Amino acid sequence: MMLQACSVKKYIPEGKKLYSGGEVELESDMKVEHEKRLITTLEKVLEPEPNKKFLGMRLGLYYYYKMQAEDPSFLTKFFYRKIGEKPVYKEDVEEIEVRNLLINRLENRGFFYSTATSQFEDKTYSSSIKYSLKVTNPYQMVTYHLDSMPEPVYGEIKKSFDKSPFKEGMRFDLANLKRERTRMDADLKEAGYYNFNGEFLKFEADTNQYDNKKFDLFLGLKDNVPEESLVPYKISKINVYANYDAQDSTVVDLVRFNEKNYINSEDYFKSKYLDPFITLKEGQYYNAQTSKNTTRRLSSIGLYKYVSLQYKEIDSSLTGELGQLEANIFLSSLNKRAVRAELQAVTKSNNFAGPGLSLTSTSRNLFKGGETLNLILKGAYEFQASAKGSGANYSLESGAKAEVIFPRVIFPIPIKTDFFKHNIPKTRTSIEGEYLHRSKLYTVLAGTAQFGYTWQASKYVHYEINPISLNYTKLFYTSSAFEDILNQNPFIKSSFDQKLIAGLTSSYTYNGFIDTHKPHQFYVNTNMELAGNTVSMLGRRSEETDKKQIIGLEYAQFAKADLDVRYHLNLGKERLLAVRAYGGYGHAYGNSDIVPYIKQFYSGGPYSVRAFRIRSLGPGTFSEADNSNINYFDKTGNIRLEANIEYRFPIYSFLKGAVFTDAGNVWNSKTNDMYNGKDKFTSNFIKEFGMGAGVGLRIDVQGFVIRFDLAAPFHDPSLPKGERYKFDMSKSVLNFAIGYPF
């Protein structure tokens, strides 16, 4: 009915046909290398674009036609402004122009003397077009030569030329020639040639010696290249404006430090702290990469709203072999203090919903070394939407956190910053307290303290290590119902025991997703945590519990690790196949019998197996019907395995769609009697995966994503054998989340 209501057929003028798009077909007597990729490239030049479709409907065109009515409604006007588009008819297609563009693209790729024809395919209300291209054998390179040039630029170009990827038999390709010129320009920029431009290079192809579509390629310089472009430059002076204000550039204080001039620095950002971020040195040749490194490192401090590195040529110093530059670094500061408030409306898969408020106060450059102090206050009230009456379940949460970030390494032994080529590590230290009251269950107070380092090792790699990580949780109140659950389940009771968690945490992330243009993209994240080993050397055994304690507190001892691997296959035109595999394992030993509850794994939810609610899957094949005392907060284990696959595609404008399948579960390596042995990890773990499938709708506005995923289980491990495989829409789950799941 909707398709019929939004049909545009009745509005199409008589004698007109809507243009529904075009396609490219290649005809050749030989095999065309990377034919599909070539066709995709050629189809990009097809003009005009047909009217957009959404679920088979041309909504933009529909509201355009409706707008032509004598008295369009308010909704019609609104949608016309948002998505309306003019009709594209058959006669809007410039066949000859498009054919010429297609032949031009083929010639740019070496397929000279190709021909193109086109043919419309008419239907009742629409018309499409097919372009048939007769492709000839491409021209192939035999030799690659470097023409003579003046020194000293010839020597540098020769070094770059010798590293050329061009090989005999390479097909002529204009795009490859442009990339070669860009590569050589970058090499020269790193060798001091400040004024050189890749446009000064020229390629000439000679086919006179061959009659079988072969050519020799020559690289040379264009005529009348400026003299200053053919010599390298050295940096003679470096000026650093540590607190630059374009409205007031008065020099109040100038300090000479490490062969650099620091201007207005000492009373704002001490030169000894700022200097390691600057990789430029007086007397070194100009290097574009070094310049980028300097601006990137300075921007990473978090103190400046913009960083500008400008070079000034010293004209009087120019000779036939060398030029001189003055480097000026202008650093414009952010406001010293800032306050941010965030109001949130939270809904969770366990039917809890409610408002949350977070206040963050930021103080920058705390000790004149680029330090940042963050003070965070947060609070949230959630109630269980499905509960009824005055005794409805609710949750009250509040917390405070103080964090200081030093843009350098704080360590007893001095560490040379030259070791860190990409960015200098930051030192983070924080302390946090949280209060959580869960009605009818418990009240808990948790404290956390951390000291560690984080740094970007390269464009793709990020490390984080916290040599000191402390966590202590204390139960202040437990209801009789909650006490009954704990008393009947020693396993769960042990996981809620008040213990000090003291240890080391580390994280490694490789993010290849930033290269969105690549067809194959990888992401790897691994986290490791080791707790209790250091404090165990100072602990003393308690006679009451037979467990070791330190300063009167029992401590946990365990090791935990997880690995998250993701792969994206870029199919073009905003289509993507995303795959993810996850595994995690925690092992308790020494002073602990089980991994603490807050460190255990859970499965289910919007970022996990979406056909099951958060923390509701597992462990193993356990079903709540087996034991009514087990509640949602118990669904954890020390082993977690998951796998996901998702196909993403565009729908209309900022609306994106997805179809997906998820599988996973959690288990315990040591069985808990309350689960009747159904939580134990065995070699049959694959048969115990919870599996589900679904569809997703995403609102993606410039990278900010609001996500709705509807999923239903088709394999529920909690059901009896023989009944587990069933696609059950009655148990479907609607997930709401921010951001993509993986």
Side-chain angles (χ1 to χ4, degrees), residues 43-84:
E43 287 180 341
K44 291 179 181 179
V45 308
L46 300 187
E47 296 178 344
E49 287 282 342
N51 293 111
K52 296 184 179 68
K53 281 187 177 183
F54 172 64
L55 299 178
M57 301 176 291
R58 296 182 174 91
L59 292 178
L61 181 57
Y62 173 78
Y63 285 105
Y64 171 85
Y65 283 133
K66 292 285 287 183
M67 191 66 185
Q68 312 309 309
E70 292 184 1
D71 188 19
S73 66
F74 170 79
L75 283 177
T76 296
K77 293 178 181 179
F78 173 80
F79 283 113
Y80 172 75
R81 288 195 301 269
K82 295 297 182 182
I83 64 173

Side-chain angles (χ1 to χ4, degrees), residues 159-358:
K159 292 178 184 178
S160 183
F161 178 86
D162 291 340
K163 298 184 295 182
S164 174
F166 287 1
K167 304 295 181 184
E168 181 181 352
M170 180 190 75
R171 173 170 55 84
F172 177 88
D173 192 320
L174 185 61
N176 283 341
L177 299 183
K178 290 180 178 179
R179 281 191 286 268
E180 174 75 347
R181 192 164 58 183
T182 300
R183 183 188 66 82
M184 287 191 166
D185 180 46
D187 286 348
L188 287 168
K189 288 292 197 299
E190 292 185 11
Y193 286 81
Y194 173 73
N195 281 315
F196 193 83
N197 190 315
E199 296 294 328
F200 297 153
L201 296 171
K202 66 177 181 179
F203 290 99
E204 294 180 333
D206 181 8
T207 61
N208 292 328
Q209 300 184 54
Y210 309 101
D211 57 6
N212 56 348
K213 294 192 174 182
K214 304 287 185 180
F215 68 93
D216 294 324
L217 187 65
F218 295 85
L219 173 66
L221 280 177
K222 293 180 180 179
D223 297 332
N224 303 319
V225 176
E227 178 187 358
E228 61 268 21
S229 302
L230 303 178
V231 297
Y233 280 74
K234 280 188 175 182
I235 300 174
S236 62
K237 184 190 293 186
I238 302 173
N239 301 316
V240 183
Y241 295 82
N243 188 18
Y244 181 73
D245 185 348
Q247 306 299 322
D248 181 12
S249 56
T250 304
V251 178
V252 177
D253 180 35
L254 190 152
V255 173
R256 183 75 174 168
F257 182 82
N258 198 18
E259 298 184 342
K260 302 178 188 69
N261 299 321
Y262 286 87
I263 299 165
N264 302 341
S265 178
E266 295 306 296
D267 288 336
Y268 181 71
F269 198 142
K270 295 178 181 179
S271 55
K272 67 177 181 178
Y273 293 137
L274 186 57
D275 188 74
F277 292 89
I278 301 171
T279 56
L280 304 180
K281 295 180 181 179
E282 288 186 1
Q284 72 178 184
Y285 282 100
Y286 164 80
N287 187 310
Q289 192 60 45
T290 303
S291 301
K292 290 179 182 178
N293 288 345
T294 293
T295 55
R296 183 188 63 249
R297 288 161 71 108
L298 289 168
S299 298
S300 71
I301 297 173
L303 182 61
Y304 296 110
K305 58 184 175 183
Y306 74 80
V307 175
S308 177
L309 171 54
Q310 301 177 14
Y311 288 99
K312 180 181 178 182
E313 296 180 56
I314 303 175
D315 296 334
S316 59
S317 67
L318 182 63
T319 67
E321 295 184 353
L322 189 66
Q324 300 287 335
L325 294 173
E326 178 180 293
N328 294 296
I329 302 174
F330 300 101
L331 306 174
S332 181
S333 303
L334 290 164
N335 292 332
K336 187 174 179 63
R337 292 178 178 84
V339 177
R340 184 177 75 249
E342 294 182 8
L343 182 62
Q344 301 172 334
V346 180
T347 61
K348 296 182 178 179
S349 297
N350 55 15
N351 292 325
F352 273 83
L357 177 64
S358 175

